[in-house]
Amino acid sequence: MIGFVNVVGDGGAHAFVLDTVVAPSCRGQGVGAALIAAAVDGARRAECEWLHVDFEDHLRPFYYDACGFRRTAAGLISL
């Protein structure tokens, strides 16, 4: 296995990307972007209206540039 991504739905309009992981030796080859593309396709087929993702700052170029997510306002509570 060289990578995986989890997608969780709320049973309605929203799905969430969790834990996108690609083996270090396979990074930079489009594997992660292909995983996200599959997640987007799966969420569409499940008739979700939105796919959300949270990430650390250093992953901005991946999610925004390589995967097509757009910037949105969000809230966060540290637990």
Side-chain angles (χ1 to χ4, degrees), residues 45-66:
R45 283 187 285 115
E47 299 182 0
C48 294
E49 296 177 30
W50 299 99
L51 183 62
H52 304 264
V53 65
D54 293 327
F55 50 82
E56 296 178 10
D57 272 347
H58 72 279
L59 295 171
R60 282 181 190 276
F62 171 69
Y63 284 107
Y64 290 154
D65 301 334

Side-chain angles (χ1 to χ4, degrees), residues 24-50:
S25 63
C26 298
R27 292 179 185 162
Q29 300 175 33
V31 174
L35 289 169
I36 294 297
V40 168
D41 184 57
R44 278 191 185 119
R45 283 187 285 115
E47 299 182 0
C48 294
E49 296 177 30
W50 299 99

Side-chain angles (χ1 to χ4, degrees), residues 4-19:
F4 66 89
V5 63
N6 292 309
V7 179
V8 179
D10 67 355
H14 299 264
F16 307 87
V17 170
L18 301 171
D19 304 326

